[in-house]
Amino acid sequence: MGERGRGRVGVLMVNTGSPAAPTAPAVASYLKTFLMDERIRPLPAPVWRAILDHIILPRRSPASAAKYAAIWTDEGSPLIAGCRALAVRVEEELRGDGVAMPGRGAVVRAAMTYGEPGVEGALRELRSVGCERLVVLPLYPQSAYATTAAALDAVARGLRRIGWEPPMTAVESYGDDEGYVDAVAASIWAAGFDPSRDHLLLSFHAVPLSDVDAGDTYTRQARDTARAVAVRLGLGESTWSLSYQSPFEDGRRWTGPHTARLVSSLARHEPRRLVVACPGFAVDCLETLYDIERVMRPAYRAQRGDGGPALVYVPCLNDTAAHARALAGIVRRALAGEIRLD
C-alpha cells in the first residue's frame, strides 16, 4: 500500500433523508426532490413533475407533515438524529484501529441522499480533515436500485462537484453479515420474543416489481436476511413471516405480501402474540415509528377484539453498541477486501 493509501480514512454512511421540518412546505420540498430522482420516478420527468405539482404534493404534503409531527423529537427528525448518533458510535468503534487505519483512525459522517445533511457537504468535510481514502456505507442492509444505487449516485455527483478523487470502496449490502444478523436476532430476544407463544413478522420496505423484473435482487436479499435471523432464533417455518411495507401509491405494482394486510390477517387468524421487526431499516423512521407503532399496532389490537396482547414492535438497531460494532466490522472488512465492493 502506498503512502496515499495509509492516510486517514473517511467513512460516509448514507441514508435516504427527511424533511427539514414537520410542515407541509418542508415536506413538499423534500418529496419533490426525492420523488423526481430518476431511480424513483415512474414516468418521464416532465409528465411526473406535472403530476407531483398538481396532484400528489398538494394532497400528500399536509398529510405527511402531520405524520412527521407525530414522531418529531427535540433533536428533529428521528432518522437524521439517529444516523448522526450512529456515526459517532461507529467512529468510536474504529478509533485507534491500527489494522484497518494504520495510526490515523477514521472519520465517520452521516449524510442523506435527499435533504440535509447533504452528501456533498459531508464529502467536503471529510476531505477538509485530511481523509485520503473513502468508504461509502449506504445504510440499507439489502441493496436496491431505489436506495443503495441512488445513494451511490449522490456520492458520485458530490465527488465530481468538489473535484475529489480519493480511492473509494462502497459496500453494496450487508444483510447477510453475521454481526448484523446476530445484532438483529439479539434485539428481538431483548424485546421479549418467546417462540413458544409469539409469531415473528419480519417487515422490509417494498420496492416496485418493475425494478425486480429489471434485475434488482432486493427481494432475494430480504429473504436471505429473514431466513438468517430465523435460523439464529431457532424458528420453524410456521412461526415467522416475511412482508413488505410502505409502497408508494403511484399506480405501479409493489412487492408483497403487504405488511398492513398481513398484520390484519394475523390479528384475525393467529392466536399467538405478534412481534414485528424491520431488519431492512437501520434506523427508526416514519415507516416504523408511525406506520407500525401508530397505525398497525392499534389496528391489530382493534381487529383482535379479544382483549389479547398488543402487537410488539422491535425497534431498529439505531445507535446501539451492537449496531456500531457490526458496522465497524463491515468497514474493516471492506478495507481489507474481504466483502463484495464496488
Side-chain angles (χ1 to χ4, degrees), residues 247-260:
F248 188 75
E249 297 176 1
D250 58 6
R252 289 180 292 182
R253 295 183 303 125
W254 292 69
T255 49
H258 294 172
T259 299

Side-chain angles (χ1 to χ4, degrees), residues 40-176:
I40 306 295
R41 55 179 166 81
L43 296 169
V47 177
W48 185 237
R49 184 179 294 110
I51 293 173
L52 283 178
D53 289 344
H54 298 290
I55 300 175
I56 294 177
L57 295 181
R59 182 181 71 248
R60 182 165 179 144
S61 298
S64 292
K67 295 177 183 179
Y68 277 108
I71 66 165
W72 215 252
T73 71
D74 292 341
E75 295 179 300
S77 160
L79 175 67
I80 294 174
C83 288
R84 282 176 161 154
L86 178 59
V88 171
R89 296 295 296 270
V90 174
E91 184 172 304
E92 290 172 351
E93 286 287 330
L94 292 169
R95 186 169 295 153
D97 191 326
V99 176
M101 283 71 65
R104 299 294 296 278
V107 181
V108 183
R109 293 292 182 268
M112 303 294 133
T113 305
Y114 316 100
E116 297 296 332
V119 167
E120 183 178 332
L123 290 170
R124 290 185 184 276
E125 183 178 355
L126 291 173
R127 182 176 63 178
S128 72
V129 297
C131 294
E132 298 179 5
R133 185 174 178 183
L134 183 64
V135 175
V136 179
L137 178 59
L139 289 175
Y140 310 108
Q142 303 79 28
S143 66
Y145 291 163
T147 54
T148 303
L152 296 179
D153 287 347
V155 172
R157 288 194 300 269
L159 290 171
R160 286 196 302 270
R161 286 171 181 163
I162 69 174
W164 191 25
E165 298 181 358
M168 186 183 91
T169 54
V171 178
E172 273 195 0
S173 62
Y174 56 91
D176 59 351

Side-chain angles (χ1 to χ4, degrees), residues 274-292:
L274 181 60
V275 176
V276 181
C278 298
F281 294 82
V283 174
D284 276 307
C285 56
L286 190 71
E287 287 82 358
T288 60
L289 297 174
Y290 190 88
D291 291 353
I292 294 179

Side-chain angles (χ1 to χ4, degrees), residues 33 144 201 318:
T33 302
L201 176 59
N318 296 314

